[in-house]
Amino acid sequence: MHEAGHAAHFANVAQESPLFAQERAPTSIAYAETQAMFLDSLVSDASWRCRYALNASGERLPFALHEADLRSRHPYQVFQLRALLAVPYFEKALYEHADLTPESIIALADQVEHDIVGGLAPRPLLSVPHILRDESSCYYHGYVLAEMAVQQTRRHFGSSIVDNPSVGEALTQAYWRPGNTADFFELVEKLTHEPLSGNAWISSLNRDVDELVASERRAYDDAIVTREDVDLDMRIRIVDGDDVIADSDECGSFLATC
């Protein structure tokens, strides 16, 4: 879903130059990652799992499994926020350090983990590949800004996001078509009608787990409806090199292809 978000974004930039729809500068990392991480977020929604997390027999994911996932992960989501923040803070400290040695870099990483994560992180900072690569160094703060935008966008749309055609239309018009003609912060404010902030993210983290489970139960039940196949008026072939994994002409429908 993450890469599908990037694909949907760049395929729908409607400007007069390819420079408005490229991965490199002047594309904002936060802008690009917002589109990918928004689709990422849907995979954890009860309504999406009810409709699309099906086994080979067409049976949907039981709500009991979804509830167990919520109860095991939601109380600890703040650690994801801390882990995301730790990377740009480490890079900032790294580039400001006056005397870098292998020993001082390791000590600096450990110190940032203690200060932000609360102890040595399960995923050590020095194992994050973005820090070590020239094309992705000083990149990770974009994920933090993107998650802020994702949560603010989700709050703007409310509980009815999955298979809601107005969501796709809004994303197309407000986020995708402008490309680099608009600033990331302007795009978020134009869609959500408020400046970018961490308020929606914090509210999401602070939700009571029982209230969240009850809300997800309602969304799951509402998603149990008979749905027609998706008609994209096109043939879709999913391939891996020379191997054809699925072909909509042979499978008979878009959903069967997926």
Side-chain angles (χ1 to χ4, degrees):
M1 290 289 278
H2 184 97
E3 302 308 330
H6 284 307
H9 168 203
F10 288 117
N12 283 283
V13 175
Q15 299 300 326
E16 296 181 355
S17 166
L19 294 177
F20 293 108
Q22 64 175 5
E23 182 181 357
R24 306 298 180 186
T27 296
S28 161
I29 299 303
Y31 171 40
E33 294 301 337
T34 294
Q35 319 313 317
M37 292 166 65
F38 181 82
L39 262 67
D40 270 340
S41 73
L42 301 183
V43 179
S44 298
D45 288 351
S47 53
W48 189 93
R49 289 179 169 180
C50 177
R51 292 185 181 178
Y52 299 108
L54 311 177
N55 64 18
S57 301
E59 298 169 325
R60 60 176 53 89
L61 179 85
F63 184 79
L65 289 181
H66 180 65
E67 179 179 352
D69 182 49
L70 287 176
R71 293 190 180 279
S72 66
R73 290 192 306 111
H74 179 70
Y76 308 102
Q77 287 297 299
V78 67
F79 290 111
Q80 180 199 21
L81 182 155
R82 289 173 175 265
L84 286 174
L85 287 173
V87 179
Y89 271 102
F90 170 62
E91 287 192 295
K92 180 176 184 294
L94 190 68
Y95 289 114
E96 291 176 347
H97 202 286
D99 184 24
L100 290 178
T101 65
E103 294 74 20
S104 67
I105 292 173
I106 293 172
L108 188 62
D110 289 348
Q111 185 61 54
V112 171
E113 289 180 2
H114 278 284
D115 292 345
I116 296 180
V117 181
L120 294 178
R123 183 193 188 188
L125 277 172
L126 290 175
S127 72
V128 178
H130 300 67
I131 299 172
L132 309 176
R133 301 170 63 112
D134 61 340
E135 75 272 16
S136 56
S137 59
C138 298
Y139 186 112
Y140 230 75
H141 66 284
Y143 289 119
V144 179
L145 292 169
E147 185 63 24
M148 291 167 59
V150 167
Q151 294 297 333
Q152 188 164 313
T153 302
R154 287 178 60 89
R155 183 173 67 178
H156 167 74
F157 287 133
S159 59
S160 179
I161 296 178
V162 175
D163 291 341
N164 183 344
S166 64
V167 171
E169 179 64 19
L171 292 175
T172 300
Q173 298 297 332
Y175 278 175
W176 299 343
R177 285 192 175 173
N180 289 319
T181 62
D183 176 83
F184 165 65
F185 296 102
E186 294 174 2
L187 291 169
V188 175
E189 185 169 1
K190 179 180 179 180
L191 177 64
T192 65
H193 309 298
E194 59 179 309
L196 179 68
S197 75
N199 294 338
W201 194 359
I202 294 171
S203 296
S204 174
L205 294 172
N206 281 332
R207 289 189 72 179
D208 176 76
V209 68
D210 290 329
E211 186 275 329
L212 176 60
V213 168
S215 174
E216 288 287 272
R217 175 81 247 192
R218 292 191 294 270
Y220 183 92
D221 291 341
D222 289 343
I224 303 177
V225 295
T226 301
R227 64 186 189 283
E228 298 179 355
D229 191 68
V230 178
D231 182 12
L232 298 179
D233 191 26
M234 62 189 295
R235 177 186 181 186
I236 297 177
R237 298 173 74 247
I238 302 173
V239 302
D240 180 12
D242 294 331
D243 297 327
V244 178
I245 300 172
D247 185 330
S248 59
D249 280 359
E250 297 178 2
C251 297
S253 70
F254 171 77
L255 292 179
T257 303
C258 296

